[in-house]
Amino acid sequence: MPVQIPDDSDFSSFKDQCLSVDGWVSRYNKGGVTVWCREEESRSVQKLKMRIVCKDVTAETLYDVLHDTSYRKKWDTNMIDTYDIGRLTANADIGYYSWKCPSPLKNRDFVTMRSWLPLGNDYLIINYSVKHPQHPPKKDYVRAVSLLTGYLIQSNGANCSTLYYLTQVDPKGSLPKWVVNRVSQFVAPKAMRKIYKASLKYPDWKRKHNPNLKPWMFPEQNSLPCMSVSELTVQRADSLENIDESGLSEEKTHHSDDEET
């Protein structure tokens, strides 16, 4: 399948999904964070949506935090590695991301096309998985598939914002039920709070680290090599190895890593 860069209708559809309540079941609602799950036709596909209200953080600051790869390494403790691969347009690029799964599961990684759009008082970032000929699946990871993942940031006035995170991922494997429960009850809420805390600290950090460098806002600053969408294809889940981890038991000693803080 050819890769298509999202247009305004794709961003509008993503925003509607973030704000919709139909078909979503609340699994967690505590301390300003809400997590919803949605049952998909395929049991292998997990669809989650989260929301957090961020007081004392502007929508623009949240947008910068989610874009700034250098800063992400400071706060995203689930991340193993991330790097940009190439630029498609002024508001679309290709990147790599790998993350730690709850032990004893194998770690996952992704190659995705990311696109972003400031829209009035809203900011949107969305991605989906693609195949890049020079970045095939790696030996020690399970290559997972993002069918649709992204953020909606809405301004709630001069110094307050709301962040939505929606993800529809095929983890390429039969996961045990405890993993799904743990993600919705511990991993997801903690991740949202980490973004919030990181956003509170970002303005001070950015003042000391290339304060004027924001290629997501100023495309002329982007030094990534240019790529054509013709070099890419959509990453189909059925073309990747599927592993069965449904029989794995949770390692209790690792549970505290993702406890709510």
Side-chain angles (χ1 to χ4, degrees):
M1 287 177 63
V3 169
Q4 293 185 320
I5 296 172
D7 59 20
D8 287 357
S9 66
D10 295 311
F11 283 104
S12 179
S13 172
F14 178 79
K15 179 180 175 179
D16 289 345
Q17 288 189 64
C18 287
L19 299 178
S20 171
V21 295
D22 295 339
W24 292 94
V25 178
S26 177
R27 292 287 174 85
Y28 179 98
N29 190 356
K30 195 185 300 181
V33 179
T34 308
V35 180
W36 297 269
C37 295
R38 190 179 185 113
E39 292 293 333
E40 293 300 299
E41 292 179 11
S42 168
R43 288 195 171 190
S44 66
V45 175
Q46 306 299 322
K47 195 167 187 179
L48 287 175
K49 180 168 67 173
M50 297 148 240
R51 180 186 66 200
I52 185 170
V53 176
C54 300
K55 297 175 183 177
D56 300 317
V57 175
T58 66
E60 184 175 319
T61 295
L62 267 174
Y63 187 61
D64 289 347
V65 166
L66 294 169
H67 269 291
D68 199 325
T69 304
S70 298
Y71 189 60
R72 190 175 197 111
K73 294 169 183 176
K74 299 279 185 186
W75 62 266
D76 189 351
T77 55
N78 290 323
M79 183 184 76
I80 299 170
D81 191 18
T82 187
Y83 52 83
D84 298 324
I85 295 170
R87 171 176 41 149
L88 296 170
T89 67
N91 70 322
D93 63 16
I94 304 299
Y96 173 85
Y97 180 85
S98 56
W99 61 289
K100 301 173 194 168
C101 283
S103 187
L105 303 183
K106 282 191 169 184
N107 294 327
R108 263 64 175 175
D109 69 356
F110 300 84
V111 172
T112 62
M113 185 193 72
R114 182 181 59 165
S115 188
W116 55 92
L117 183 71
L119 195 63
N121 291 326
D122 299 336
Y123 295 88
L124 297 101
I125 306 171
I126 59 178
N127 76 57
Y128 65 85
S129 286
V130 295
K131 286 175 72 173
H132 188 294
Q134 295 175 2
H135 296 270
K138 296 185 178 184
K139 177 184 174 184
D140 297 326
Y141 293 88
V142 176
R143 179 61 52 90
V145 177
S146 166
L147 302 171
L148 177 65
T149 298
Y151 302 91
L152 166 66
I153 306 163
Q154 294 194 304
S155 176
N156 296 342
N159 207 30
C160 185
S161 51
T162 300
L163 172 65
Y164 290 87
Y165 174 64
L166 186 149
T167 180
Q168 186 176 12
V169 168
D170 187 334
K172 292 314 298 171
S174 301
L175 298 176
K177 191 172 183 181
W178 66 261
V179 172
V180 179
N181 291 338
R182 183 168 160 192
V183 166
S184 63
Q185 295 296 314
F186 295 101
V187 180
K190 184 176 182 182
M192 295 298 276
R193 291 190 178 98
K194 277 186 181 175
I195 295 172
Y196 179 24
K197 290 177 182 177
S199 299
L200 289 167
K201 298 175 182 178
Y202 182 75
D204 284 342
W205 181 90
K206 188 61 176 172
R207 274 192 285 271
K208 302 168 188 172
H209 299 82
N210 298 313
N212 297 317
L213 183 64
K214 295 184 179 183
W216 53 92
M217 298 285 281
F218 309 109
E220 65 276 9
Q221 296 178 347
N222 197 321
S223 59
L224 288 173
C226 291
M227 292 180 58
S228 167
V229 289
S230 63
E231 299 176 56
L232 308 165
T233 53
V234 174
Q235 178 66 73
R236 294 176 59 89
D238 56 14
S239 69
L240 293 167
E241 179 188 6
N242 216 4
I243 64 170
D244 186 359
E245 296 176 302
S246 59
L248 293 177
S249 299
E250 183 175 9
E251 292 188 0
K252 298 294 183 183
T253 54
H254 291 268
H255 196 278
S256 60
D257 292 349
D258 295 303
E259 285 286 0
E260 179 189 343
T261 56

